[in-house]
Amino acid sequence: MMKKKSISASKASLVFFLCQMISALDVPLDLSQPPTITQQSPKDYIVDPRENIVIQCEAKGKPPPSFSWTRNGTHFDIDKDEQVTMKPNSGTLVINIMNGGKAEAYEGVYQCTARNERGAAISNNIVIRPSRSPLWTKEKLEPNQVREGDSLVLHCRPPVGLPPPIIFWMDNAFQRLPQSERVSQGLNGDLYFSNVQPEDTREDYICYARFNHTQTIQQKQPISVKVFSMDSLNDTIAANLSDTDIYGAKPVTERPPILLTPTGTTSNKVELRGNVLLLECIAAGLPTPVIRWIKEGGELPANRTFFENFKKTLKIIDVSEADSGNYKCIARNILGSTHHVISVTVKAAPYWITAPRNLVLSPGEDGTLICRANGNPKPSISWLANGVPIAIAPEDPSRKVDGDTIIFSAVQERSSAVYQCNASNEYGYLLANAFVNVLAEPPRILTPANKLYQVILDSPALIDCAYFGSPKPEIEWFKGVKGSILRGNEYVFHDNGTLEIPVAQKDSTGTYTCVARNELGKIQNEVQLEVKDPTMIIKQPEYKVIQRYGHVSFECIIKHDSTLIPTVIWLKDNDELPDDERFLVGKDNLTIMNVTDKDDGTYTCIVNTTLDSVSASAVLTVVARPNPPFDLELTGQLERSIELSWIPGDENNSPITSFVIEYEDGLHEPGVWHYQTEVPGSQTTVQLKLSPYVNYSFRVIAVNEIGRSQPSEPSEQYLTKSANPDENPSNVQGIGSEPDNLVITWESLKGFQSNGPGLQYKVSWRQKDVDDEWTSVVVANVSKYIVSGTPTFVPYEIKVQALNDLGYAPEPSEVIGHSGEDLPMVAPGNVQVHVINSTLAKVHWDPVPLKSVRGHLQGYKVYYWKVQSLSRRSKRHIEKKILTFRGNKTFGMLPGLEPYSSYKLNVRVVNGKGEGPASPDKVFKTPEGVPSSPSFLKITNPTLDSLTLEWGSPTHPNGVLISYILKFQPINNTHELGPLVEIRIPANESSLILKNLNYSTRYKFYFNAQTSVGSGSQITEEAVTIMDEAMASRQVDIATQGWFIGLMCAVALLILILLIVCFIRRNKGGKYPVKEKEDAHADPEIQPMKEDDGTFGEYRLFSFVSSAPF
């Protein structure tokens, strides 16, 4: 159960190199060469009519090519059309649509020509078509009335757009309509119903067409569908049927399958090679048919076949001629089957067998251009020279055309040209440019010198020697600086200059020299090869069996080359691990916590380096759930009970602990299963309680420690007789929506709770504490009743009783509700405000009389707002704030007030309807607080002993400013602070000149404002007084002093004499073992500082220059 796979990066490189090997060489761009088209727009180019049209045409060549265009086969003079421009140094056209041009005017076939003195290359024919998103034609859609079980097709018929639109169906709420085996959308956009059900009744089947190019969506008129079922039989028909006829008859007629699309028994389909083949079969029938696909006389292609749209669509990607044949779709249900055969023919637009390749020849050489293509039907081949059919092109004595080949003999420089090969059939064309470039050039090697190649031991080594020359140079390889030429079976020499060592060994490491020579010269280049040890998994993950919720761990221990850095990743079933915190990836293991069924699968450890990859896999098996029970049987049928028995399925190695029994009510909720009961795993029979007027089916689910099985097949149906309802609606409420009404609501009974046909509700009410009779009304199919003309907000007694055609349910219990609320009538009185501090106040009020609330008291709202700041008289925008206090609370706190400000507030009572009138505005004021920091502090005009300070007043003074506090202190070069000086400044000042300061000294300043409450937050700044000019003039450059120059000369002379003496003694055999020992064991503590240690060096220099004290 374990597999291992190793992939070498060198092998991947080998494929890359071999794919690049061509007989012709790429011409370096600094040499003369004909044009080559490097970029162009697609052949079929659909453009957005609202945006500028950009038709790309880029080419390279030497000299740089010039560009021209044709449109619909004739020269396109862009200079005469002010809407069209060509990009500089490019052939790309820009057609200005956004500034007055019309895209429709530029529809057509465009072709670009790139030309220089050595030839002309041409682009494909580029067909420009603006996209179109037309509106739906208006049509009158008749409602679709269809019988339950019949088939139905809703036609979309979208407008013809370019490109064709994407079709989807939604409802009025822009929700996609659910699709299933029964209801699905066809490839043509129509909506198919294999059989209709009552739930398909709706009036908003809407087909939408999305046009991606213009990013628009068009909508068809809504389509209405009404499904008639057995329940809609009129009373006359029902009266003529007995109970047995009604309850024993099937509601709809089952039918064998018939195909809605395609029609008939056979059809044909043509698809092009390489495209996606889509075949569709949609069938009608009841029960809903199941679709199966086969290929007559063969198998559906593996790995390319997919089923979509609930297997109604067969999809085969990348089709080829081998996929031609007969494909049969079979639609089957329990009543029969039908089929349709689609004969598929795969044609092919032209495709290359051998595309022509550029030729670089030297004068006098021979060569060939080959153009071979295939297709179905076989394409025709035609040649052009410099964009002109070769039959009418200027003659060239060195050229001879032989079908799909052009033969060149003894070419000369004038033979340089660009040739075009066109391969075409009825399904398309191929156009390829290939130049013949006649050059005489000595060799040059394009691979960088001393390039390093690294490979894994025992894998191929590919050493590049990209070259150019004309005639084509010969390549030789050498190993080592003076090594001999490489020959023998252990090497492979490729035409593109690459040296391949099929199995690299450790002794393959070294320097390799590539030599390129032709009759015009010789050149060589050296590269390096290193061979690394392979990466290996020395302990691989192992097969595991684990139960649900257990823990499991896979090991993956590796060994690798010490110079390579490995990365380890884990995959599950060849995909990324789930994004789940239960998966813990360690250094050499993967642990899965709380294993679940979905963790089943193959886990793979992949180790990657820059040179190789190795992997190992192991399977994790989680113990399975039990198989479903079978052979369900009903016995002992009674009016209110029945006995159900079954045979258990396979336990799958985990004992069954219990069985869950579920039921379906085919009369009221077909397709919906409900829990009935649960029995021990040792029991295979159970007595079930039943309700009246239910068409029962039962199914059984087995449960073990791992989980639940799939449900069993349903049992036969059993219809119980009708009876009076056993229970009344729940969740009865009475809440008014308007001041003069009472809305009574309840939770309707489920279908099986009705106990019989004709379910209705008797709604009764009377005003509480008033001697009134009950008022009643009987309603059906609703869960709400509105009583009008009630007094405002008074209590009512309410009850809702269920009844059906056989009688009433038991007497219901009464609930108390209230008629609708109205806005409160009275504002709170005696509003008082107690200011606690500069930002907090407490507000009190008297409660309003409950009768004036006229509803449920929800609380009180306090509206408050700032009128003005007492320190500033400027007007400001009034922003009201609201605080809500729930219930009958009569006080609250107002936080976040601004100091030294005037406020107003009022209070209002709130009920379920809204707010009552406001109390009279109450004015209160907050006391002063500490100010904010000054808005700015600037220090200007530095002199030897003074600085000028300027500042702005605080943005929020929060009171009356009484002064500013300035503190400052000097800072020396070691960032130590000197003594602190404090100055108090009057509040009306905004600047200050500080005098008697030390020259060339840095000072730090702290500045804040004060009110009577205290000091606010401070701001800081630093500034420096300037240096004394007299002292600066005394600092002279020591290097210009005569005494210093003399001293340095004397030192240099002494060093020279010492070196001469040492040299003489060494020549006489003198040795200095002590000196050598010192050099060999030099103390790192006294080694000179490295030049790149910029931070420390700069710090020392700074400390030296700035070492003077204050």
Side-chain angles (χ1 to χ4, degrees):
M1 301 297 292
M2 180 173 60
K3 56 183 179 179
K4 180 180 177 183
K5 181 172 66 174
S6 178
I7 303 171
S8 170
S10 299
K11 292 181 181 177
S13 301
L14 174 62
V15 176
F16 175 75
F17 272 103
L18 296 182
C19 290
Q20 287 196 338
M21 287 196 297
I22 55 175
S23 58
L25 304 178
D26 288 335
V27 182
L29 285 175
D30 61 326
L31 298 179
S32 296
Q33 58 181 291
T36 300
I37 300 289
T38 59
Q39 191 173 1
Q40 58 182 311
S41 293
K43 293 179 181 178
D44 190 9
Y45 189 13
I46 300 175
V47 299
D48 190 330
R50 303 166 300 183
E51 298 180 356
N52 292 342
I53 301 174
V54 179
I55 312 177
Q56 290 184 324
C57 180
E58 304 291 341
K60 65 178 181 177
K62 180 76 173 185
S66 60
F67 297 88
S68 61
W69 285 84
T70 62
R71 179 183 173 193
N72 297 329
T74 60
H75 176 65
F76 184 32
D77 191 348
I78 64 175
D79 294 331
K80 292 184 178 180
D81 192 332
E82 61 182 10
Q83 302 293 345
V84 183
T85 58
M86 186 183 295
K87 290 185 177 181
N89 303 316
S90 166
T92 297
L93 294 183
V94 179
I95 303 174
N96 195 335
I97 301 302
M98 300 176 68
N99 195 23
K102 293 187 178 298
E104 293 78 5
Y106 293 93
E107 261 189 279
V109 181
Y110 293 77
Q111 189 172 46
C112 170
T113 301
R115 186 185 309 275
N116 67 11
E117 62 190 28
R118 287 193 168 247
I122 62 176
S123 71
N124 291 320
N125 286 329
I126 302 170
V127 180
I128 301 296
R129 296 184 296 167
S131 63
R132 298 180 178 89
S133 52
L135 297 175
W136 238 295
T137 56
K138 290 191 175 181
E139 55 183 327
K140 184 177 181 181
L141 300 176
E142 297 293 335
N144 291 272
Q145 297 188 359
V146 59
R147 185 177 58 187
E148 181 182 0
D150 287 353
S151 62
L152 175 65
V153 181
L154 301 183
H155 297 289
C156 181
R157 300 190 183 101
V160 179
L162 184 67
I166 297 172
I167 304 301
F168 52 95
W169 289 80
M170 296 199 297
D171 58 19
N172 271 332
F174 298 102
Q175 299 297 313
R176 285 194 181 255
L177 296 175
Q179 298 191 22
S180 62
E181 289 185 339
R182 187 177 64 84
V183 183
S184 61
Q185 178 182 315
L187 294 176
N188 64 353
D190 292 348
L191 192 63
Y192 292 85
F193 295 77
S194 295
N195 53 80
V196 296
Q197 301 295 328
E199 60 264 27
D200 297 327
T201 297
R202 62 191 307 153
E203 298 181 351
D204 57 349
Y205 286 93
I206 305 174
C207 182
Y208 288 85
R210 183 173 68 222
F211 298 88
N212 284 344
H213 256 70
T214 56
Q215 296 181 347
T216 57
I217 295 179
Q218 305 289 357
Q219 172 185 338
K220 187 182 180 75
Q221 290 291 325
I223 301 175
S224 173
V225 173
K226 182 172 179 58
V227 179
F228 293 96
S229 64
M230 285 291 293
D231 293 337
S232 63
L233 292 173
N234 60 44
D235 294 340
T236 303
I237 298 176
N240 294 324
L241 297 176
S242 66
D243 289 348
T244 304
D245 292 332
I246 294 177
Y247 298 133
K250 295 182 178 179
V252 292
T253 303
E254 294 182 338
R255 294 176 289 104
I258 59 170
L259 286 174
L260 297 174
T261 183
T263 57
T265 58
T266 62
S267 60
N268 298 307
K269 172 81 172 181
V270 175
E271 192 55 80
L272 292 183
R273 179 181 187 268
N275 285 357
V276 176
L277 174 65
L278 293 173
L279 304 178
E280 179 181 59
C281 275
I282 300 178
L286 186 67
T288 302
V290 176
I291 304 295
R292 185 168 67 93
W293 291 89
I294 61 172
K295 183 180 181 182
E296 293 183 342
E299 298 291 333
L300 295 174
N303 302 324
R304 294 189 293 115
T305 300
F306 304 91
F307 297 101
E308 297 179 344
N309 197 19
F310 308 97
K311 292 192 175 181
K312 300 174 188 178
T313 302
L314 172 65
K315 176 180 178 180
I316 302 177
I317 62 174
D318 192 22
V319 294
S320 64
E321 288 86 342
D323 295 319
S324 296
N326 293 332
Y327 292 81
K328 179 188 286 188
C329 70
I330 304 168
R332 184 185 305 275
N333 68 9
I334 59 176
L335 299 182
S337 65
T338 186
H339 70 270
H340 184 94
V341 177
I342 305 173
S343 179
V344 174
T345 303
V346 178
K347 298 289 187 178
Y351 56 92
W352 291 119
I353 297 175
T354 305
R357 297 169 177 167
N358 295 334
L359 277 180
V360 179
L361 303 173
S362 63
E365 278 193 314
D366 302 336
T368 58
L369 287 178
I370 300 175
C371 176
R372 289 178 185 154
N374 202 355
N376 186 7
K378 182 77 174 177
S380 61
I381 303 293
S382 60
W383 288 95
L384 298 89
N386 294 326
V388 177
I390 203 163
I392 61 175
E395 291 190 4
D396 183 350
S398 67
R399 178 183 69 211
K400 178 184 177 182
V401 179
D402 184 9
D404 58 9
T405 304
I406 302 180
I407 304 170
F408 296 92
S409 304
V411 297
Q412 302 299 317
E413 186 172 355
R414 64 177 178 274
S415 300
S416 295
V418 183
Y419 292 88
Q420 292 82 32
C421 171
N422 186 305
S424 60
N425 66 12
E426 61 187 274
Y427 296 108
Y429 72 93
L430 294 171
L431 177 68
N433 290 275
F435 64 65
V436 175
N437 196 13
V438 182
L439 292 173
E441 285 291 326
R444 61 171 72 181
I445 293 179
L446 308 178
T447 300
N450 294 314
K451 183 175 181 180
L452 176 63
Y453 292 87
Q454 295 178 324
V455 298
I456 293 296
L457 181 70
D458 294 331
S459 65
L462 294 147
I463 308 174
D464 190 18
C465 182
Y467 65 91
F468 180 78
S470 185
K472 181 180 177 181
E474 294 181 356
I475 302 298
E476 293 177 330
W477 282 94
F478 300 84
K479 184 179 180 186
V481 178
K482 297 182 180 180
S484 59
I485 187 170
L486 298 182
R487 306 181 188 280
N489 295 331
E490 65 266 32
Y491 302 104
V492 178
F493 304 95
H494 294 289
D495 289 343
N496 66 347
T498 297
L499 170 65
E500 180 185 350
I501 306 174
V503 183
Q505 300 298 314
K506 282 291 186 179
D507 59 4
S508 302
T509 298
T511 301
Y512 290 80
T513 303
C514 164
V515 178
R517 58 165 58 90
N518 67 9
E519 61 190 39
L520 300 179
K522 167 186 170 183
I523 193 172
Q524 69 180 37
N525 185 42
E526 292 183 356
V527 294
Q528 308 296 323
L529 174 64
E530 293 180 356
V531 180
K532 306 288 187 180
D533 290 326
T535 304
M536 296 183 293
I537 299 177
I538 59 177
K539 188 163 187 181
Q540 303 175 4
E542 299 176 348
Y543 172 70
K544 302 280 186 178
V545 177
I546 194 70
Q547 285 192 359
R548 188 180 181 187
Y549 304 128
H551 304 337
V552 66
S553 182
F554 294 107
E555 287 189 295
C556 184
I557 300 176
I558 65 173
K559 179 183 177 183
H560 60 92
D561 192 286
S562 60
T563 63
L564 299 177
I565 301 175
T567 58
V568 180
I569 60 174
W570 287 87
L571 302 180
K572 179 182 183 294
D573 297 330
N574 294 323
D575 204 350
E576 292 182 358
L577 291 178
D579 184 12
D580 191 330
E581 61 185 9
R582 299 181 301 108
F583 289 77
L584 307 176
V585 178
K587 179 182 178 182
D588 51 15
N589 61 50
L590 167 66
T591 301
I592 308 173
M593 311 294 289
N594 298 322
V595 174
T596 64
D597 295 337
K598 64 182 180 181
D599 298 330
D600 256 2
T602 301
Y603 290 84
T604 305
C605 165
I606 300 178
V607 185
N608 293 316
T609 69
T610 54
L611 299 181
D612 65 348
S613 177
V614 65
S615 65
S617 300
V619 174
L620 172 64
T621 299
V622 180
V623 179
R625 305 164 180 170
N627 292 347
F630 57 94
D631 279 358
L632 273 64
E633 184 179 3
L634 296 177
T635 56
Q637 291 91 340
L638 300 173
E639 288 189 6
R640 292 293 183 108
S641 68
I642 198 169
E643 185 174 270
L644 171 67
S645 59
W646 62 89
I647 299 176
D650 194 330
E651 295 180 342
N652 288 332
N653 302 319
S654 181
I656 295 175
T657 57
S658 63
F659 292 99
V660 176
I661 292 86
E662 296 180 339
Y663 72 92
E664 175 197 27
D665 181 1
L667 195 60
H668 302 98
E669 293 181 295
V672 180
W673 290 89
H674 301 275
Y675 173 84
Q676 173 87 7
T677 188
E678 185 170 355
V679 298
S682 58
Q683 186 173 329
T684 59
T685 302
V686 64
Q687 193 78 17
L688 300 174
K689 294 182 179 180
L690 306 179
S691 295
Y693 193 55
V694 176
N695 194 12
Y696 280 101
S697 291
F698 298 97
R699 68 183 187 185
V700 183
I701 300 170
V703 182
N704 64 11
E705 291 183 357
I706 310 305
R708 296 161 63 101
S709 71
Q710 292 293 320
S712 67
E713 291 295 322
S715 70
E716 60 181 299
Q717 292 184 331
Y718 178 64
L719 179 64
T720 57
K721 294 183 178 180
S722 302
N724 292 11
D726 292 328
E727 52 189 308
N728 287 303
S730 59
N731 197 23
V732 177
Q733 294 182 336
I735 302 174
S737 61
E738 297 294 338
D740 60 349
N741 75 7
L742 171 65
V743 180
I744 302 173
T745 59
W746 60 91
E747 191 172 312
S748 300
L749 298 181
K750 304 292 185 183
F752 73 91
Q753 294 174 310
S754 65
N755 284 6
L759 177 64
Q760 294 177 302
Y761 302 100
K762 179 182 179 182
V763 184
S764 305
W765 67 92
R766 67 180 178 185
Q767 189 171 338
K768 191 175 181 295
D769 301 328
V770 176
D771 192 16
D772 281 349
E773 294 294 327
W774 288 93
T775 303
S776 300
V777 64
V778 176
V779 296
N781 299 322
V782 295
S783 59
K784 179 174 71 173
Y785 184 78
I786 300 176
V787 180
S788 302
T790 64
T792 301
F793 196 66
V794 295
Y796 276 85
E797 294 175 310
I798 303 166
K799 57 184 179 180
V800 180
Q801 186 178 24
L803 67 151
N804 62 19
D805 291 349
L806 280 77
Y808 285 88
E811 184 68 19
S813 58
E814 301 171 5
V815 298
I816 304 299
H818 285 81
S819 58
E821 300 179 68
D822 205 344
L823 293 177
M825 302 172 60
V826 178
N830 193 24
V831 177
Q832 300 293 328
V833 180
H834 172 58
V835 177
I836 297 175
N837 56 39
S838 60
T839 61
L840 181 66
K842 184 176 184 180
V843 59
H844 296 262
W845 60 89
D846 290 343
V848 299
L850 288 179
K851 287 187 177 181
S852 67
V853 175
R854 298 202 294 180
H856 295 286
L857 175 64
Q858 293 188 353
Y860 293 86
K861 284 187 178 180
V862 177
Y863 286 72
Y864 65 102
W865 60 96
K866 181 180 174 180
V867 179
Q868 68 177 20
S869 172
L870 299 178
S871 59
R872 297 183 180 180
R873 298 299 178 180
S874 59
K875 294 183 179 179
R876 54 171 284 166
H877 172 69
I878 294 178
E879 179 183 355
K880 289 190 176 183
K881 298 181 180 179
I882 305 173
L883 284 177
T884 300
F885 300 95
R886 298 294 179 185
N888 56 0
K889 196 172 183 181
T890 59
F891 66 91
M893 307 299 289
L894 306 181
L897 304 177
E898 294 185 17
Y900 206 51
S901 300
S902 177
Y903 280 86
K904 287 185 178 181
L905 65 75
N906 58 50
V907 185
R908 312 175 192 200
V909 68
V910 182
N911 66 11
K913 188 70 173 179
E915 300 175 6
S919 67
D921 290 349
K922 187 74 174 180
V923 178
F924 66 96
K925 298 177 180 179
T926 55
E928 290 187 73
V930 296
S932 63
S933 61
S935 56
F936 67 88
L937 175 62
K938 293 193 301 183
I939 304 175
T940 59
N941 301 329
T943 66
L944 286 174
D945 62 350
S946 69
L947 293 169
T948 300
L949 280 68
E950 298 177 357
W951 61 85
S953 59
T955 306
H956 301 288
N958 294 338
V960 177
L961 295 182
I962 60 175
S963 65
Y964 293 100
I965 301 298
L966 172 66
K967 300 177 183 178
F968 64 96
Q969 56 190 150
I971 308 174
N972 64 17
N973 287 346
T974 60
H975 302 287
E976 294 176 347
L977 298 174
L980 187 66
V981 179
E982 179 175 328
I983 300 175
R984 185 178 296 274
I985 305 169
N988 58 353
E989 296 291 339
S990 61
S991 65
L992 175 68
I993 299 176
L994 283 177
K995 298 182 178 180
N996 299 322
L997 303 176
N998 296 329
Y999 64 85
S1000 188
T1001 300
R1002 177 173 295 277
Y1003 286 89
K1004 187 167 186 178
F1005 297 89
Y1006 313 88
F1007 195 68
N1008 61 356
Q1010 278 190 330
T1011 64
S1012 60
V1013 176
S1015 299
S1017 56
Q1018 63 183 16
I1019 58 175
T1020 63
E1021 275 291 345
E1022 293 185 12
V1024 182
T1025 56
I1026 65 175
M1027 181 183 290
D1028 186 357
E1029 295 180 0
M1031 176 175 287
S1033 66
R1034 292 198 295 271
Q1035 295 181 357
V1036 295
D1037 189 352
I1038 190 172
T1040 63
Q1041 301 302 300
W1043 63 269
F1044 180 76
I1045 295 173
L1047 177 62
M1048 292 299 102
C1049 291
V1051 171
L1053 180 59
L1054 288 173
I1055 293 173
L1056 179 61
I1057 293 171
L1058 180 61
L1059 291 174
I1060 292 172
V1061 172
C1062 292
F1063 179 74
I1064 293 172
R1065 292 193 63 185
R1066 181 172 292 276
N1067 286 342
K1068 291 180 179 181
K1071 296 184 178 179
Y1072 301 90
V1074 176
K1075 174 61 178 174
E1076 291 173 359
K1077 191 173 296 183
E1078 288 176 352
D1079 290 343
H1081 303 285
D1083 187 352
E1085 294 290 336
I1086 61 173
Q1087 293 302 303
M1089 189 186 308
K1090 295 181 180 178
E1091 291 182 3
D1092 63 350
D1093 191 8
T1095 303
F1096 186 57
E1098 183 177 347
Y1099 173 75
R1100 290 184 61 186
L1101 177 62
F1102 174 78
S1103 299
F1104 173 77
V1105 173
S1106 304
S1107 61
F1110 287 107

